[in-house]
Amino acid sequence: MLALRKRPCARGANLDPMQSAVTATTATEPRAALEVLPERLRASIEPNVHRLDVELIARAYRFAEEAHAGQKRASGEAYIQHCVEVAKILADLHLDTVSVAAGLIHDVVEDTGTELETLREEFGEEIATVVDGGAKIGKVQFRSTTEH
């Protein structure tokens, strides 16, 4: 069994043991990082700014926005809107930084030329693993027990 303990962060406070090591350092003020995010996502993250690494989430948003630049959904809306909505749902569920950031970049490997290794380098092993796992779950074919 994995032993969880609080890790000191760069500002001297303790992190929740369920937060990623990636969240241990924050380069900028959370309020400034919030300004990078679209209003709908910002509204979901703002009440939780005290426990989230907003800079990491903002980096994930910028990364996804650049990776999906020019991509459109069948509806004609920019593809990044899907990523924002996924992250918003995760933030509304009060999930952690890793989950929200992974929600923003969850389609980058499948839908762009970005390699999983690039995500690993940019965001760390934990986020890359969540993104990769989500992609693999999406490929599983489920069958209802009522189907014959």
Side-chain angles (χ1 to χ4, degrees):
M1 180 173 214
L2 179 65
L4 297 175
R5 57 193 151 92
K6 290 194 178 221
R7 296 181 298 266
C9 76
R11 293 190 215 158
N14 285 324
L15 290 175
D16 181 294
M18 295 306 291
Q19 284 184 302
S20 166
V22 174
T23 64
T25 59
T26 302
T28 64
E29 170 65 32
R31 297 283 172 201
L34 273 171
E35 296 303 314
V36 171
L37 303 175
E39 177 56 38
R40 285 181 54 75
L41 181 55
R42 186 180 327 140
S44 293
I45 289 178
E46 203 160 19
N48 299 299
V49 72
H50 63 281
R51 65 174 189 79
L52 295 173
D53 182 343
V54 181
E55 174 58 27
L56 179 62
I57 293 168
R59 280 195 311 116
Y61 171 73
R62 289 188 301 260
F63 190 91
E65 185 178 46
E66 185 176 315
H68 291 295
Q71 289 182 330
K72 302 277 187 200
R73 294 184 55 90
S75 66
E77 110 182 315
Y79 194 85
I80 190 66
Q81 293 307 312
H82 164 70
C83 303
V84 168
E85 289 303 314
V86 169
K88 180 185 179 335
I89 290 167
L90 298 172
D92 287 342
L93 290 170
H94 305 285
L95 296 184
D96 64 350
T97 298
V98 169
S99 300
V100 176
L104 283 164
I105 60 176
H106 76 278
D107 278 337
V108 168
V109 173
E110 276 191 22
D111 296 341
T112 72
T114 306
E115 297 289 328
L116 185 61
E117 186 57 35
T118 302
L119 292 186
R120 192 171 281 112
E121 291 166 6
E122 291 289 324
F123 298 101
E125 185 65 36
E126 187 174 14
I127 290 176
T129 299
V130 171
V131 170
D132 190 39
K136 289 176 180 172
I137 287 172
K139 293 177 182 174
V140 173
Q141 299 262 331
F142 293 99
R143 215 175 111 192
S144 170
T145 56
T146 59
E147 291 179 13
H148 299 285

